Amino acid sequence: MRQIHWLGLGEAFPNPLYTPDPDPSVPGLIAVSEKIYPGQLAAAYQLGIFPWYSDNQPVLWWSPDPRMILKPHNFKCSDSLKKTIRHFCNEPSSQVQVDADFGAVVRACATSKRKNQDGTWITHEIMDAYTQLHDQGHAHSIAILEQNQLVGGLYCVSFGGMVFGESMFSRQTNASKLALAALVAWCGQHQVAMIDCQQETAHLSSLGATPISRQEFLEQLQTSLNQTNIEICWDFEKDILKHWL
């Protein structure tokens, strides 16, 4: 069994495209570090690696196999979600806001209670690191507002022509799905081939996400990184949801 890579300041990640899992008993765990060092998060995403850990743990860096992805044309917009979209689009007080208050959306994701989950992986260190990515134009928030109240949303990461979904939250029925539907519609308009959903779950499957091998994901990631730059295009409103009607 190979030793898991322990990364210090300035040390490069092993490339999961060419490096087998160091410990088969923990599939997908690529590396560990004491903290998230400057520049480390951006480097990780461009290799298909993401952090996922809890307070009082070192930073655990993952590249799972298989990898859950959502192709925009495969998004399943149910009849109930279409009904919600119609109501939302026709309600004058409803809004979709992109990057208006990134911190508020991340905090809402961190503090939302989730079924079968005790606590959150979105630590203060994670919030700070993704806020820095946001300041650099590589992390984005989509907020769903009703009567100026934040009721749902998500945040994600983008590099080149690739979008990585991170976390969603809902304070009312279908609010997070509205945010996801808006993101997927936007991705379809900008020729984004796939949205990274990281881990396989029944909820993501119900929305059209499917697992692919890590090798296929990483090869497509490199193609997407070299294809286009979508960072400057992040600006849309609720009318984008009419794509699904």
Side-chain angles (χ1 to χ4, degrees):
M1 181 171 57
R2 300 155 59 92
Q3 187 174 5
I4 294 176
H5 296 266
W6 187 279
L7 302 178
L9 176 64
E11 290 188 72
F13 287 98
N15 189 328
L17 186 59
Y18 308 110
T19 307
D21 285 358
D23 185 350
S25 68
V26 192
L29 181 60
I30 294 296
V32 180
S33 62
E34 182 180 0
K35 58 187 292 186
I36 300 177
Y37 296 105
Q40 197 174 38
L41 193 57
Y45 272 96
Q46 293 173 82
L47 287 171
I49 299 170
F50 60 88
W52 185 39
Y53 64 105
S54 301
D55 276 328
N56 303 316
Q57 285 186 324
V59 182
L60 307 178
W61 298 94
W62 301 85
S63 180
D65 188 8
R67 187 80 166 227
M68 198 69 163
I69 61 101
L70 174 60
K71 295 182 178 181
H73 64 271
N74 286 340
F75 179 68
K76 295 180 181 177
C77 189
S78 66
D79 290 341
S80 64
L81 180 54
K82 288 179 181 178
K83 182 178 179 180
T84 300
I85 289 173
R86 287 190 187 95
H87 174 79
F88 184 81
C89 289
N90 291 330
E91 174 54 55
S93 66
S94 67
Q95 299 177 66
V96 171
Q97 291 186 345
V98 180
D99 288 342
D101 193 340
F102 182 83
V105 172
V106 175
R107 288 191 297 273
C109 289
T111 56
S112 293
K113 293 183 179 180
R114 304 176 192 276
K115 187 178 180 180
N116 300 324
Q117 270 189 238
D118 182 17
T120 178
W121 68 275
I122 305 175
T123 64
H124 289 293
E125 182 179 34
I126 284 286
M127 286 190 269
D128 289 344
Y130 282 88
T131 298
Q132 290 177 20
L133 274 191
H134 171 67
D135 292 342
Q136 296 162 10
H138 292 297
H140 306 278
S141 63
I142 300 174
I144 303 299
L145 280 73
E146 295 278 7
Q147 297 181 347
N148 292 319
Q149 297 298 310
L150 181 62
V151 298
L154 62 80
Y155 71 98
C156 59
V157 170
S158 69
F159 281 95
M162 183 70 195
V163 172
F164 308 81
E166 281 305 314
S167 186
M168 303 188 295
F169 79 98
S170 278
R171 292 173 179 164
Q172 68 181 36
T173 303
N174 280 343
S176 63
K177 290 182 182 179
L178 285 171
L180 180 60
L183 173 63
V184 175
W186 181 87
C187 285
Q189 291 179 2
H190 288 82
Q191 292 75 53
V192 173
M194 64 182 181
I195 301 169
D196 175 31
C197 301
Q198 300 177 349
Q199 304 280 4
E200 185 172 0
T201 68
H203 177 64
L204 289 169
S205 295
S206 72
L207 295 170
T210 55
I212 61 174
S213 71
R214 176 166 59 196
Q215 180 168 342
E216 183 181 353
F217 171 78
L218 294 174
E219 289 173 351
Q220 179 61 57
L221 169 61
Q222 292 308 309
T223 299
S224 297
L225 290 175
N226 295 327
Q227 267 182 339
T228 184
N229 186 315
I230 57 176
E231 274 78 17
I232 61 173
C233 305
W234 286 82
D235 184 19
F236 55 88
E237 297 180 349
K238 70 178 183 179
D239 280 354
I240 199 168
L241 286 165
K242 293 179 179 177
H243 172 84
W244 303 109
L245 300 180

